[in-house]
Amino acid sequence: MTAPATMTEPGTIGLRDVGVSFHTDRGVVTALDGVTASLPASGFTSLLGPSGCGKSTLLRVIADLLDPSTGGVDVLGATPHQRRLGRDIGFVFQDAALLPWRTAVENVRLPLEVGGGVPQGRQANSPEDLLALVGLAGREHAYPHELSGGMRQRVAIARALICQPRVLLMDEPFGALDEITRDRLNVELLRIWQETGTTVVFVTHSIPEAVFLSQQVVVMSAHPGRIREIVDIDLPYPRGSETRDLPQFSALASRLRHLLEQS
Ligand SMILES: Nc1ncnc2c1ncn2[C@@H]1O[C@H](COP(=O)(O)OP(=O)(O)O)[C@@H](O)[C@H]1O
Ligand SMILES: [Mg+2]
C-alpha cells in the first residue's frame, strides 16, 4: 500500500515523506519522520499506535492545523489549506467540546455561524437531519449536560458533518467512553460512513476498534513517529457484533498486536 515518496495517486490523501519536528526548551522532538502513504478516497483508514507516536500530529497536518517541517500532503487533489478553506474537512476530538449553553441542534449549527459559513455553491446539511443520522432524533433541544458521553460524541460527529465535508478526521473520538457504548458507536459510525461516502481517518490506540472499523490500519511506532506497516483489513461490510467472532478478526488483531510490540 505504501506509495513511492515522490508521487501519490490522485483521489487519495497523499502523504509524501512527511516530517514534523517541534523545537522545545529540551531540544528538538521529532514527532513524525518519513511518513509516506496513500489513504484512499471514501475509505476508512485508522492510525494505530502507542501514545506519542504522532497520530494527532498527523491528523493536524492533514487538517491544515499544522505545517509539516518536511514533505508534503495533498487531500483529494488539493492542498490541506485549500481543503480547510473549502470547509471540506470535519474534525472530531476525544472531548466533544460542545458549548454548554447551546442545545444539541444549536451546537450542530455552530460551524455555519463562524469561520465564514458554507462556501458559495455548497449546500449545508440540515442540523435536524444530521441529528437523526447520528441517532439523536427527538433530542435536538437537549443541552449537553442532559446528554450522556456517547450522545455528546454523536452531537460532535453531527457538527463535524454539517458542511458536508469530504474528509472526516477523528482523533480518539470514543476513547473516553465505556466499552459497550464504544462498540455501539463503532457500528453507528460505519453506517454513517457508508451513508455519507466521506473519507474517514480515525485515530485510536485500541486494536479491536481499529480492526472492527477499518479497511486499512496504518500501524505506527514512536520516537520518532513512523509508519511501521499498513495492514489491509479484509473483513466484509456491513460489520456487526458477529464480525468480532470471526476467526479472521482475532487473527488480524493478533497481527496488529505483534506489530505494535515490535515498535
Ligand atoms: N506542540 C508540541 N510541542 C512540542 N512537542 C509536541 C507538540 N505536539 C506534540 N508533541 C510531541 O510530538 C510527539 C507526538 O505527539 P502526538 O502527535 O500528540 O502523539 P499521539 O497522538 O500519537 O499520542 C510526542 O512526543 C509529543 O510530546
Ligand atoms: Mg493523540
Side-chain angles (χ1 to χ4, degrees):
M1 282 306 295
T2 308
T6 50
M7 53 175 278
T8 52
E9 301 148 42
T12 66
I13 297 178
L15 309 169
R16 293 181 313 277
D17 201 21
V18 174
V20 173
S21 300
F22 294 107
H23 295 265
T24 71
D25 295 345
R26 282 165 289 119
V28 177
V29 177
T30 306
L32 290 174
D33 181 44
V35 170
T36 293
S38 289
L39 316 182
S42 303
F44 200 118
T45 303
S46 289
L47 310 179
L48 175 72
S51 182
C53 73
K55 304 181 294 296
S56 297
T57 301
L58 188 53
L59 275 200
R60 289 170 64 207
V61 168
I62 296 170
D64 189 42
L65 301 175
L66 182 69
D67 285 329
S69 318
T70 61
V73 177
D74 59 84
V75 181
L76 310 179
T79 65
H81 187 64
Q82 289 166 327
R83 288 291 174 216
R84 182 167 63 79
L85 292 185
R87 311 294 291 255
D88 286 316
I89 298 176
F91 214 120
V92 181
F93 300 92
Q94 179 166 348
D95 176 352
L98 304 179
L99 296 179
W101 59 88
R102 296 183 72 136
T103 63
V105 72
E106 288 167 351
N107 268 287
V108 173
R109 202 181 286 133
L110 185 68
L112 303 179
E113 299 166 17
V114 296
V118 192
Q120 262 196 328
R122 277 271 290 289
Q123 183 94 31
N125 278 311
S126 131
E128 290 79 8
D129 287 354
L130 283 175
L131 284 171
L133 178 73
V134 299
L136 284 178
R139 305 307 302 269
E140 293 84 357
H141 304 296
Y143 285 90
H145 75 269
E146 300 173 299
L147 300 171
S148 66
M151 288 174 177
R152 287 199 288 271
Q153 281 310 85
R154 289 169 191 264
V155 176
I157 293 168
R159 182 182 54 193
L161 293 172
I162 189 74
C163 291
Q164 299 202 352
R166 299 178 58 174
V167 177
L168 183 60
L169 305 177
M170 308 184 82
D171 196 351
E172 305 198 38
F174 309 138
L177 303 176
D178 66 83
E179 202 174 332
I180 296 166
T181 306
R182 174 194 281 225
D183 286 355
R184 198 172 293 150
L185 278 171
N186 281 343
V187 174
E188 295 277 303
L189 176 60
L190 287 182
R191 182 181 53 74
I192 292 164
W193 166 56
Q194 295 192 314
E195 284 184 29
T196 58
T198 180
T199 303
V200 179
V201 185
F202 186 97
V203 165
T204 181
H205 52 237
S206 160
I207 293 170
E209 182 167 60
V211 175
F212 182 78
L213 291 171
S214 320
Q215 291 176 313
Q216 59 170 5
V217 177
V218 177
V219 182
M220 298 179 64
S221 55
H223 311 298
R226 289 198 172 122
I227 294 182
R228 166 142 216 113
E229 195 160 322
I230 299 179
V231 177
D232 287 327
I233 305 296
D234 194 13
L235 296 169
Y237 292 94
R239 296 180 188 171
S241 52
E242 69 290 347
T243 305
R244 300 176 199 279
D245 298 330
L246 295 172
Q248 303 101 292
F249 187 96
S250 318
L252 285 161
S254 137
R255 168 124 187 262
L256 294 179
R257 186 167 299 109
H258 288 303
L259 284 169
L260 288 170
E261 278 165 6
Q262 291 164 28
S263 31

